[in-house]
């Protein structure tokens, strides 16, 4: 399986001093600690880790995620000295809201590309791909050779489609998910989506399916995946190689479906879960907790059912 991109990139590096000045215009004097004058190259979910990133993280959770280095961290409280590292910390009362304000400003003033630096400008549709005349392909979409994009499909900026992949009628790829946040000051904010979508090789996405764009990390569909008609894959979800999703399955945001899993028709999977490799989810199940590898689940709420297997042999 290809490596999933974990963030988005600024079109040119941004010095953290510029961000500090912008935040002070928004909220007034702020408390800073750690390194200064960092050259930031992008943004990511603080839980994925990275170098030279703009992120937000409550102090309570900062030390529990992947390692961040040389990054500008918006937080509500300074973390313990032992995990500060090479980062610069900016203490504000509502880190998520300030992050959303800063990211929106950077999108307008600097530009942000999904997947890798320069991706949006360099993306291209292969001359060996078949694209229906009624499909809507925005600038900054990459489509690999041998892929077929059917009538009425809409593929949004920052999306990648691999080789020999079929996107059926009226599929929407890269649309924003529902991410409304009520800030501490009462404002109703919408989180910018900059992660994009990556769809692998030899994959098929059925008619009227929706693959939401990633917020900070890419929504990722692997190789040899089948996603049925009327399915929904939430923002930031990961669907690994060889997964089979039947008609009308719903996958919540930031959930990971490991390789070879089978999701039967009408299954609903809550956000932020992990569905183990080669597991089976029976028709109409409502999944509200993680599923172990090779386990079969059925019901509402879904419970383990030994011997249940769904979907075709493959």
């Amino acid at each position: 399986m290809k490596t999933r991109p974990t963030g988005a990139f600024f079109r040119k590096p941004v010095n953290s001093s510029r961000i500090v000045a912008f935040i002070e215009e928004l909220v007034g004097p702020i408390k800073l600690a750690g390194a200064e004058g960092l050259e930031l190259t992008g943004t990511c979910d603080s839980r994925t880790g990275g170098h030279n990133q703009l992120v937000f993280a409550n102090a309570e959770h900062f030390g529990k995620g992947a390692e961040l280095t040389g990054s500008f961290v918006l937080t509500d409280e300074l973390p313990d000295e032992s995990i500060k590292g090479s980062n610069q910390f900016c203490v504000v009362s509502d880190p998520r809201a300030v992050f959303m304000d800063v990211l929106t400003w950077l999108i307008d003033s600097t530009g942000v590309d999904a997947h890798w630096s320069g991706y949006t400008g360099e993306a291209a549709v292969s001359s060996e791909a078949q694209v229906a005349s009624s499909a809507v392909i925005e600038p900054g979409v990459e489509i690999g050779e041998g892929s077929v994009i059917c009538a009425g499909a809409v593929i949004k900026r920052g999306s990648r489609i691999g080789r020999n992949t079929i996107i059926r009628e009226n599929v929407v790829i890269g649309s924003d998910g529902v991410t409304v946040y009520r800030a501490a000051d009462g404002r109703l904010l919408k989180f910018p989506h900059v992660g994009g979508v990556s769809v692998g090789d030899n994959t098929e996405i059925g008619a009227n399916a929706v693959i939401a764009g990633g917020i900070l990390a890419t929504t990722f569909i692997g190789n040899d995946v089948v996603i049925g008609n009327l399915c929904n894959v939430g923002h930031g979800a990961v669907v690994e190689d060889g997964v089979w999703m039947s008609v009308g399955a719903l996958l919540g945001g930031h959930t990971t479906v490991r390789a070879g899993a089978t999701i039967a028709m009408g299954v609903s999977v809550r956000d932020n879960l992990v569905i183990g490799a080669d597991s089976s989810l029976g028709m109409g199940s409502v999944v509200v907790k993680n599923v172990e590898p090779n386990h079969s689940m059925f019901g509402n709420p879904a419970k383990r059912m030994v011997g249940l297997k769904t979907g075709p042999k493959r």
Side-chain angles (χ1 to χ4, degrees), residues 4-9 112-116 119-120 140 155-160 173-176 192-199 211-221 233-237:
R4 179 200 185 199
T6 56
F9 292 80
V112 177
D113 291 324
H115 306 301
W116 67 79
Y119 164 74
T120 302
I155 305 181
K156 308 287 286 183
R157 183 183 184 91
S159 298
R160 298 174 66 188
I173 296 178
S175 58
D176 285 1
H193 286 57
V194 295
V197 176
S198 179
V199 179
I211 314 297
I215 301 174
L216 299 178
T218 303
T219 302
F220 188 84
I221 312 296
V233 176
H235 50 242

Side-chain angles (χ1 to χ4, degrees), residues 134-178:
S134 61
V136 177
I137 311 297
E138 292 190 350
V141 168
E142 180 178 288
I143 300 176
E145 62 184 35
S147 287
V148 177
I149 313 300
C150 296
V154 177
I155 305 181
K156 308 287 286 183
R157 183 183 184 91
S159 298
R160 298 174 66 188
I161 310 297
R163 297 173 297 172
N164 303 313
T165 283
I166 301 173
I167 308 299
R168 295 292 183 190
E169 289 79 5
N170 301 317
V171 169
V172 179
I173 296 178
S175 58
D176 285 1
V178 178

